[in-house]
Amino acid sequence: MVNGARLEVRGVSHAFTLEKRLLPVLEAIDFTAEPGEFVALLGPSGCGKSTLLRLAAGLEPPTTGQLLVDGAEISGTDPSRTIMFQDPTLFPWRTVRGNAQLGPEARGTLRADAGRIDEVLSLVGLASFADALPHQLSGGMAQRAALARALVNQPRLLMLDEPLGKLDSLTRLAMQKELVALWEREGFTALLVTHDVEEALLLADRVLVLSDRPARIRADIRVGQPRPRRRDDPGLVALREEILGLLGMAEAA
Amino acid sequence: MSATVLSAGIAGSRSRAAPAWPVGWIAAVAWFGIAALIMVWPDADDLGRTPLLAAVATGFGGVILLLALLSTSPRLAPRLEPFRAAGPWLLVLALALGAWELVTAKLDLLPRPFFVAPQSLLEVFTDDWPRLSDSVWNSLLLVLPGYALGAAIGFLFGIAMGWSRLVGYWAHPVVRLIGPLPATAWLPIAFFAFSSSHGASTFLIALASFFPVTVLTWSGVSSVSKAYYDVARTMGASPWFLVRKVAVPAAMPSVFVGLFMGLGASFSVLVVAEMMGVKSGLGWYMQWAQGWAAYANMYAALLVMALMCSGAVTLLFYLRDRLLSWQKGLVRW
Ligand SMILES: Nc1ncnc2c1ncn2[C@@H]1O[C@H](COP(=O)(O)OP(=O)(O)OP(=O)(O)O)[C@@H](O)[C@H]1O
Ligand SMILES: [Mg+2]
């Protein structure tokens, strides 16, 4: 059990230069994720969700504004803030285990973390595929391997960029349960990017609904329902309608 | 190859009887026939080693016959699969030897000494093998250190160019200007600058492998996906770790392309250097044989050189297959 990090995002705006034109991606994003909180980011494709995670991971500095972890400004990457990328980006020359042990290896804690690596691999159901190479995995297995690689680091802030995007619906349900159990057990602060309104509502304490690019926070919705949650819970159904309305999809639902 | 082994395995598990190998039997008979032809038909001219050639052909036939016999056993058949696959080659080689023997030794249709009979070639190996093997040894002694040196420096230099902006800035124009120059163009300068022809040749051979290895390592390192670095950085990787455990392994497929190109270039420099100044090695042997119009010796040296180069490439392929087994669809050599 780790104590989750507190992430403060203060007035963050970010822009890319794309073909010599400035492309604003994030606009005045302001929120705080409390220690141990599970926050979901929901928004249309290309609005800037992945970019926000990259900023919080410290891979890039924001154009304006500040990001703070436990009150200290983020100035670079740190293993306590791990990100599971949208694309699994497993190292093709390493086995599943080799990929999972990347963090400990980079920090020189391989021996101390050996048990943790095995534990995490069986947690994501890949214990029997520990020696498989990435090109021998299915899309969903690759995503689970990437999840294992992130979890090994015992992050205090875990950022998940559509972690269940490539899974079939049954595995997806199982993995959603696993994620919540994991979060409850390990106590990290979670930032989950998803396209799936239902998934956000099932998992998160709070759902931030983002607008089209440049992304602004359109709504900050607290999901009060106790866990384990049921998707047909009337409270959740109502929230779902509300969010779909915000995303301009009310009739389609 | 693996596909045929696999299908043989499946076939084997289905039926216990070994599949027939008619080509093997025919090839064995063909080799015996050629041996008889060599022995019985008198040579048009006085040639040495005719009986030995016939003996060698008989030996070949015997071995193939043995393989054909063994492969009737269902237990041994799968293991002999590589030989079975080579069946058509074994047959065609026998026929080719027969045709060659006919037009040279038996009928004397082709002008000599440029065209040589098979037994004359064989004679080179039996009579001149000390000098021939000495030449191989000297060639290897010259080419391998030079190649290894050039490849090692090229590898390190390529990584530095791909990794460091500063090194890339200064090295890029130089590599671009000097690199495409064939290493043999440096020959006069090298023989002037180095006191020994051995040193000069080593330098040139190293230069020949240095350039392709540098360029392909460099391009491999600079085309590594940024996403890999991002993953490693978020997990606390140091720059040194990024180089060793991300940039280098990701660039390895490209590095091997450079190693293959460098090997070819090194061999061509080797031959030129041995023909120009070095007084030993296969290139020198060929030059010497040609000077005496000893064409059989020249062809023998050519054959040995082909085996040597092919062996080196095979070794490199083996190394690559070991190191890059994580890649799918590697080209088999
Ligand atoms: N390195 C970059 N350079 C230039 N533009 C970029 C870069 N990375 C992202 N963008 C642009 O920023 C915008 C937001 O990208 P981002 O990946 O954050 O979207 P997203 O919300 O994660 O979308 P999706 O849900 O489809 O993954 C996109 O329009 C993209 O073109
Ligand atoms: Mg994204």
Side-chain angles (χ1 to χ4, degrees), chain A residues 18-39:
Chain A
L18 205 63
E19 285 163 13
K20 295 192 179 146
R21 289 202 354 252
L22 215 58
L23 180 79
V25 174
L26 299 172
E27 201 172 279
I29 303 287
D30 231 328
F31 72 91
T32 300
E34 296 299 333
E37 201 174 20
F38 199 133
V39 179

Side-chain angles (χ1 to χ4, degrees), chain A residues 54 77 92 105 107 135 149, chain B residues 228 230 233 235 245 326:
Chain A
R54 287 181 65 85
T77 57
E105 206 178 313
R107 299 190 296 276
H135 75 81
R149 181 172 64 183
Chain B
Y228 292 143
D230 284 347
R233 277 170 62 207
M235 295 183 182
K245 298 296 177 88
W326 52 269

Side-chain angles (χ1 to χ4, degrees), chain A residues 16 18 23 25 44-51 86 162 195 213:
Chain A
F16 289 110
L18 205 63
L23 180 79
V25 174
S45 179
C47 75
K49 304 180 294 293
S50 298
T51 305
Q86 190 164 6
E162 299 186 31
H195 275 139
R213 192 184 56 237

